[in-house]
Amino acid sequence: MIREQREILRTELVGSPLSDPEIPAIAGAGMERIDRFLAERRPPTPCLVIDLDIVRARYETLRAHFPKAEIFYAVKANPAQEVIATLAELGASFDVASEGERLRCRDLRISEKRLSFGNTVKRENEIAQAYAEGVALFAFDSPGELEKLARSAPGASVYCRILAEGKGAEWPLSRKFGCTPDLAVDLLQKARTLGLRPAGVSFHVGSQQTEPLRWRPAIENAAKVFQACAQAGLPLERLNVGGGLPAQYRLPIPPLADYATAIDDALRECFGSSRPRLIVEPGRYLVGDAGMLRSTVLLISRKSHHAHRRWIYLDAGLYNGLPETWGKRIHYRIRTPHQGGTSESVILAGPTCDSMDVIYQKAEYTLPLDLAIGDRLDFLSAGAYTASCAAVEFNGFPPIQTYCI
Ligand SMILES: Cc1ncc(COP(=O)(O)O)c(C=O)c1O
């Protein structure tokens, strides 16, 4: 325990262009609570620790910046029961992607009325079951999905997802979801003729969206759909501006106020006085900074006598907690127990026998030369899309454990 506490005092954040005084402000008191938990409980690694106080604080900040919006938490970002229950207590609604997520909410006695089935690719029997149990809001982006909804959730409220550019996002959702605005207009009208209730439009400008102005063109497109539908005698009510709000990784991000202002300005300019009811659907923003992923160094090696970069192999990798490092996308801030001394460029890799399981190779990370086998390596702001994306048993490694404090 004493060694562990000393380690905490001597920790160093590496690979961060943020200056030291900024780091405590970003990490906040939650880091201390997480550190205390880890020092006292010493759970096996790799593990993810979530500070629910930070989740609460994030929700309150979001509510303050979007006072009129309904907040639907995207459960996929972190489906830990405690996270869902905490947000439910605060009044959040929930975006669920599957029956599994819906049942998690139901097990916590969250009313189905507070759920939106937001995946545009659903199993028809899951639609039917969700509707029978009270879910009233469903997403679609294609005629095929609309027909499933009409058959299995007759009379349900439905919203159409339109395509949005992923530029500016560190994890773009590309062109997999959504349809063009003109197709959305036709589909929303078709929804009405099929006996469904067309509620509105949604989009997602890409996850970890670092440029607040990227909401603007998407809102413009949504407004065109609203206008065309109104002209066809089909008034729409709700606009879902998706997720995309960022967590604090290695690079500085704009403050939440900039996102709220950009979205508000675009709504005013595109909708004037006939603003729709607003839905925000954050995942990463609410839980990202609330989590720390602790790993252990399993091996340090060089590939030749003269190789200048060390390979650092950890017990966490692409398959058990760090999938978003793939393709140099998400750059976590990393903390080691060593401070001062020389640091050198490293390649970080996970523990499986798969050559894809390399965490950072092209991204430039330097770690202290003092780093040794058995040392802890902490990934900060790792509360989103880590444990929830871990493989179940790849190479025999168990899924990463989450502890909520
Ligand atoms: C439909 C939908 N809504 C919301 C989100 C949450 O996005 P983020 O975590 O970027 O806030 C996602 C993420 O993939 C999504 O698919």
Side-chain angles (χ1 to χ4, degrees), residues 338-357:
H338 302 281
Q339 198 174 8
T342 317
S343 280
E344 262 187 4
S345 175
V346 295
I347 297 166
L348 279 167
T352 69
C353 295
D354 185 355
S355 58
M356 276 245 313
D357 192 6

Side-chain angles (χ1 to χ4, degrees), residues 50-280:
I50 299 283
D51 185 339
L52 295 172
D53 277 356
I54 299 183
V55 177
R56 279 187 201 98
R58 280 300 157 105
Y59 183 85
E60 298 299 356
T61 308
L62 193 68
R63 161 84 22 266
H65 281 89
F66 293 90
K68 293 195 180 141
E70 287 174 84
I71 301 174
F72 281 71
Y73 169 57
V75 173
K76 57 180 78 74
N78 189 318
Q81 276 197 354
E82 296 91 333
V83 169
I84 299 174
T86 299
L87 290 167
E89 254 171 47
L90 294 170
S93 296
F94 297 88
D95 163 59
V96 297
S98 65
E99 175 126 315
E101 289 189 351
R102 181 177 73 78
L103 295 181
R104 261 183 192 233
C105 294
R106 196 189 65 180
D107 289 350
L108 291 166
R109 301 189 182 286
I110 295 165
S111 160
E112 309 271 348
K113 299 270 169 282
R114 286 163 75 180
L115 307 187
S116 159
F117 209 148
N119 193 340
T120 52
V121 186
K122 295 176 280 301
R123 283 181 195 277
E124 190 161 345
N125 66 325
E126 295 189 0
I127 295 174
Q129 196 59 31
Y131 188 58
E133 292 185 24
V135 176
L137 195 55
F138 296 83
F140 71 94
D141 65 3
S142 65
E145 192 71 9
L146 201 51
E147 278 154 23
K148 282 191 236 167
L149 288 165
R151 274 193 303 268
S152 297
S157 292
V158 294
Y159 57 93
C160 188
R161 180 160 169 175
I162 56 172
L163 286 161
E165 282 262 5
K167 281 195 191 134
E170 286 176 18
W171 193 266
L173 297 170
S174 70
R175 299 186 69 78
K176 181 172 174 186
F177 307 104
C179 63
T180 57
D182 59 332
L183 180 54
V185 174
D186 292 344
L187 291 177
L188 285 160
Q189 291 184 67
K190 183 172 176 187
R192 180 170 56 175
T193 57
L194 289 173
L196 294 161
R197 290 189 195 157
V201 172
S202 74
F203 59 78
H204 197 305
V205 292
S207 202
Q208 188 67 9
Q209 177 52 262
T210 58
E211 298 175 14
L213 291 176
R214 296 287 175 188
W215 269 264
R216 166 83 206 215
I219 290 175
E220 255 171 40
N221 281 337
K224 283 182 199 151
V225 177
F226 271 68
Q227 275 156 19
C229 283
Q231 274 162 14
L234 180 62
L236 300 176
E237 276 185 354
R238 291 170 130 182
L239 176 62
N240 178 341
V241 295
L245 300 172
Q248 181 59 67
Y249 301 121
R250 214 157 58 144
L251 293 172
I253 47 168
L256 186 64
D258 290 8
Y259 291 85
T261 304
I263 292 171
D264 197 58
D265 287 350
L267 287 172
R268 192 175 41 256
E269 283 158 34
C270 300
F271 285 92
S273 57
S274 46
R275 272 187 189 225
R277 277 168 64 189
L278 189 65
I279 290 178
V280 288

